[in-house]
Amino acid sequence: MNSARERFIAAQCNGDGDLLSFKTSSGRVLDYQQALQEVQAGAIAGVNVFKGRDGEMYIRGDADGDPTNNLDQLPQF
């Protein structure tokens, strides 16, 4: 595993709980589209992209059996 890759350390959600943006371990703030592109490029560790039932692409945490590191458990910023 490449430890040089950034991780998401915080998230910003709207009133419905939808993820809007992420803060990375290096302090960068990425809106959802930027984050999606970086995850697809392999630049962010611990997450992956999947296609939802609606055909859109979404970011989710890697399935590791640990609910505490799910994206919706990240601290808000």
Side-chain angles (χ1 to χ4, degrees):
M1 184 162 134
N2 182 356
S3 61
R5 291 193 302 166
E6 292 179 88
R7 299 185 88 74
F8 293 142
I9 60 164
Q12 206 166 33
C13 299
N14 66 14
D16 294 331
D18 299 324
L19 294 163
L20 300 177
S21 58
F22 298 94
K23 184 179 280 189
T24 71
S25 49
S26 71
R28 295 187 305 141
V29 174
L30 305 174
D31 69 31
Y32 199 90
Q33 266 326 109
Q34 292 170 312
L36 191 63
Q37 290 170 351
E38 296 222 8
V39 172
Q40 286 175 314
I44 309 292
V47 291
N48 62 76
V49 172
F50 74 101
K51 185 181 279 196
R53 288 191 185 99
D54 58 5
E56 296 292 317
M57 300 303 285
Y58 295 96
I59 301 168
R60 67 177 165 199
D62 289 343
D64 60 6
D66 181 1
T68 65
N69 65 9
N70 290 353
L71 295 178
D72 59 2
Q73 298 295 318
L74 289 172
Q76 295 289 304
F77 73 96

